[in-house]
Amino acid sequence: DVKVTQSSRYLVKRTGEKVFLECVQDMDHENMFWYRQDPGLGLRLIYFSYDVKMKEKGDIPEGYSVSREKKERFSLILESASTNQTSMYLCASSFYEQYFGPGTRLTVT
Amino acid sequence: GQNIDQPTEMTATEGAIVQINCTYQTSGFNGLFWYQQHAGEAPTFLSYNVLDGLEEKGRFSSFLSRSKGYSYLLLKELQMKDSASYLCAVRDETGTASKLTFGTGTRLQVTL
């Protein structure tokens, strides 16, 4: 079974803090993705990566950056968290269909 | 870009059949996926269509018409555990990494 894990299920941070969200997959997938999910807006792609050190912007990359130093790990970074980044963050990996991690519910106060 | 439409909510009775529609307008197309998402959980893969026609997988079937930009997910013999959101997603033909664009999801409530 594919397993995608995320470092935290719930996270509370203050405005202006630097936030790291970690994602690890165990299926040797080349492709990894970060989404945020908000009520009424669905899943929106922030960034994705198709190889180590390779990344591409998704639909809403502003305010975020990513890092992929190893194939199994894809990190999402909020350089200076803001309240409008309060959301559910989902990581996924794929060879073809995407497998999702359990999600991190981030609250920025 | 991609534009994907699906109904926001649907209600159906246990044991019945329900059809969830999805329409899309895309600049490129390389397949359509359906995912199920229970409240508070991650989406899980249900089905994939890249050619026109019906794909059947147990109680779930998915249909695609590429010329009409239309798909549906058919759920038979509904069970209470089928209460969830169903997400339609289109794969971008031009991109790398099997990039998907998701609809906002259809919340299905199954009642007794």
Side-chain angles (χ1 to χ4, degrees):
Chain A
D1 265 0
V2 176
K3 192 163 186 184
V4 181
T5 57
Q6 296 184 226
S7 48
S8 307
R9 289 301 303 270
Y10 300 94
L11 208 53
V12 179
K13 295 291 181 181
R14 294 194 179 274
T15 301
E17 279 192 83
K18 191 168 186 175
V19 181
F20 292 87
L21 303 182
E22 301 280 328
C23 175
V24 178
Q25 52 98 0
D26 66 357
M27 282 301 292
D28 203 35
H29 287 161
E30 294 187 346
N31 307 319
M32 296 188 75
F33 308 82
W34 274 107
Y35 296 90
R36 63 178 284 176
Q37 187 172 33
D38 301 287
L41 297 176
L43 276 163
R44 293 180 291 166
L45 182 64
I46 304 171
Y47 267 96
F48 64 100
S49 168
Y50 50 91
D51 201 351
V52 175
K53 297 191 186 294
M54 306 301 289
K55 61 187 180 186
E56 284 195 28
K57 293 179 180 179
D59 299 317
I60 51 163
E62 298 78 19
Y64 304 94
S65 61
V66 290
S67 172
R68 187 141 181 228
E69 297 296 320
K70 293 184 178 181
K71 192 173 187 180
E72 67 271 17
R73 189 178 297 269
F74 191 34
S75 302
L76 180 69
I77 303 152
L78 288 66
E79 294 289 342
S80 178
S82 63
T83 55
N84 63 13
Q85 293 178 310
T86 291
S87 186
M88 170 67 83
Y89 289 88
L90 287 158
C91 172
S93 75
S94 78
F95 175 72
Y96 207 72
E97 70 264 27
Q98 292 187 14
Y99 295 88
F100 286 84
T104 296
R105 185 164 293 282
L106 173 67
T107 302
V108 183
T109 62
Chain B
Q2 319 274 29
N3 186 35
I4 301 171
D5 289 312
Q6 47 182 136
T8 304
E9 291 186 356
M10 299 182 71
T11 302
T13 306
E14 190 179 34
I17 299 173
V18 71
Q19 178 175 311
I20 302 174
N21 296 324
C22 172
T23 58
Y24 61 90
Q25 297 94 41
T26 62
S27 55
F29 178 84
N30 195 14
L32 187 142
F33 294 77
W34 284 96
Y35 283 80
Q36 180 190 58
Q37 186 177 25
H38 285 100
E41 298 183 11
T44 54
F45 170 74
L46 284 179
S47 70
Y48 167 68
N49 296 70
V50 66
L51 299 176
D52 291 352
L54 189 68
E55 294 283 340
E56 297 188 76
K57 195 186 287 188
R59 294 190 299 115
F60 292 8
S61 303
S62 56
F63 172 83
L64 176 66
S65 169
R66 289 173 296 171
S67 63
K68 295 182 179 176
Y70 169 68
S71 174
Y72 67 73
L73 180 69
L74 194 71
L75 292 75
K76 303 175 188 173
E77 301 169 14
L78 278 173
Q79 302 175 10
M80 298 299 289
K81 68 178 182 180
D82 297 329
S83 292
S85 288
Y86 292 86
L87 312 179
C88 172
V90 172
R91 185 182 180 204
D92 191 331
E93 178 182 75
T94 58
T96 56
S98 62
K99 177 184 165 187
L100 299 180
T101 299
F102 284 82
T104 54
T106 299
R107 191 186 315 174
L108 173 66
Q109 185 171 357
V110 180
T111 61
L112 292 171

